[in-house]
Amino acid sequence: MPTHPVVLTECPRDAMQGLHEFIPTAAKTAYLQQLLAVGFDVLDFGSFVSPKAIPQLRDTAAVLAGLDLDRTQTKLLAIVANLRGAEQAASHPEIHYLGFPLSVSETFQRRNTNQTIAEALADVAAMHALCERRGKTLIVYLSMGFGNPYGDPYSPAVVADFTQRLAALGVRIVALSDTIGVSTPALITPLFEELIPAFPHIEFGAHLHTTPATWREKVAAAYQAGCRRFDGALGGIGGCPMAADVLTGNMATENLVAFLEGVGEDVGLDKEAFKRAQAQASGVFQLAH
């Protein structure tokens, strides 16, 4: 079992990215500022991608400029889809993590970042080198990490092969992403139980999409298999707009916190700030409907 404590990432970027109505920059900034007060380890706050692909997040640089980071220990994460986006993100000293979605499905890699897997892996190598030069940390999200709807090859061995390639590049954080919500305990537990001992120098995370009925069994399966890095979004809002027409929501952070506290983990959050963030989320996301 890992000895490091639980790492919680709040993902407002994932919650917002698929919404059609644009959330004003000031509203985004105020919401993120409240999330920074909660005490999450990481805040997945925005992305440096084509505005045509994700118009909701075209104002990420402006949002970042409006944040007061003097009173928070939370580290900022920005998602990028190519080397150009990585260079933009790395130019901001406030950003600690760059996240890149590498798919184990060739079809989804083309759909999501308009690349082949081979091209994406070349980008990962360049991004990792960029992060090393700029004092950043690259997180690779293995999209479709629990299966895909396209008939592309999938098995735990496929995921292990991708992880081996990432380890060879020097990547130290890999998050398995249940992009379309197909994971089950029967998939989750063996996968983490195989990967965590096999790659002791890599920290594995779980970015799970789920329904209200299945969240507990999924997070329990990952936790019991040794995973200690989890992503969530308040209210379970959002998902991947590139994945499917009918979306399964993000793991609800309030459920994730309840589970972790229930098994004795101290997640270190400011509960009053958490309640204020929940209340603020209702207003922010109503703006986009």
Side-chain angles (χ1 to χ4, degrees):
M1 298 286 283
T3 56
H4 55 79
V6 168
V7 176
L8 277 183
T9 299
E10 174 63 22
C11 302
R13 182 271 318 165
D14 203 6
M16 293 177 184
Q17 66 180 6
L19 300 174
H20 296 299
E21 292 294 321
F22 186 72
I23 299 172
T25 301
K28 283 195 186 89
T29 305
Y31 179 50
L32 294 173
Q33 194 68 57
Q34 183 58 50
L35 291 173
L36 288 170
V38 176
F40 296 107
D41 298 287
V42 182
L43 190 67
D44 178 353
F45 82 102
S47 63
F48 290 87
V49 300
S50 166
K52 292 180 181 178
I54 309 288
Q56 182 64 252
L57 300 175
R58 63 182 184 263
D59 59 347
T60 290
V63 168
L64 178 61
L67 293 175
D68 178 0
L69 301 171
D70 288 342
R71 296 187 301 278
T72 182
Q73 297 298 311
T74 301
K75 294 176 179 177
L76 296 182
L77 161 67
I79 296 295
V80 300
N82 52 39
L83 188 56
R84 180 181 177 185
E87 288 167 345
Q88 289 178 308
S91 71
H92 296 276
E94 306 92 338
I95 294 174
H96 185 90
Y97 293 109
L98 274 60
F100 177 74
L102 175 68
S103 180
V104 301
S105 154
E106 187 78 52
T107 304
F108 188 63
Q109 190 70 55
R110 291 178 181 274
R111 185 169 177 168
N112 199 32
T113 67
N114 198 30
Q115 296 170 302
T116 65
I117 288 174
E119 290 168 339
L121 277 166
D123 261 8
V124 169
M127 288 177 195
H128 179 67
L130 172 68
C131 286
E132 292 283 287
R133 292 196 305 272
R134 298 288 185 86
K136 315 293 187 187
T137 299
L138 180 65
I139 300 176
V140 175
Y141 290 84
L142 284 181
S143 303
M144 300 290 172
F146 298 92
N148 66 81
Y150 311 116
D152 291 340
Y154 174 81
S155 69
V158 169
V159 180
D161 177 62
F162 272 78
T163 305
Q164 181 62 59
R165 292 192 236 180
L166 294 173
L169 294 175
V171 173
R172 294 184 296 276
I173 304 177
V174 174
L176 304 184
S177 297
D178 182 15
T179 316
I180 52 172
V182 297
S183 68
T184 63
L187 286 171
I188 295 168
T189 300
L191 192 52
F192 279 111
E193 284 182 342
E194 178 177 333
L195 293 173
I196 290 172
F199 299 96
H201 300 300
I202 289 182
E203 182 180 356
F204 288 94
H207 184 100
L208 300 172
H209 289 177
T210 183
T211 65
T214 60
W215 72 266
R216 183 179 292 276
E217 64 187 37
K218 290 189 179 191
V219 67
Y223 182 85
Q224 289 161 7
C227 179
R228 293 294 182 270
R229 188 180 190 101
F230 294 94
D231 292 3
L234 286 184
I237 299 167
C240 181
M242 303 299 180
D245 296 322
V246 179
L247 294 179
T248 303
N250 279 305
M251 174 69 68
T253 305
E254 54 271 31
N255 291 342
L256 190 53
V257 169
F259 173 85
L260 292 170
E261 291 182 336
V263 295
E265 295 285 354
D266 179 7
V267 294
L269 302 182
D270 181 323
K271 292 304 178 63
E272 289 305 312
F274 191 96
K275 290 177 184 176
R276 289 193 292 272
Q278 286 180 291
Q280 203 164 331
S282 299
V284 168
F285 292 106
Q286 282 174 2
L287 285 173
H289 286 290

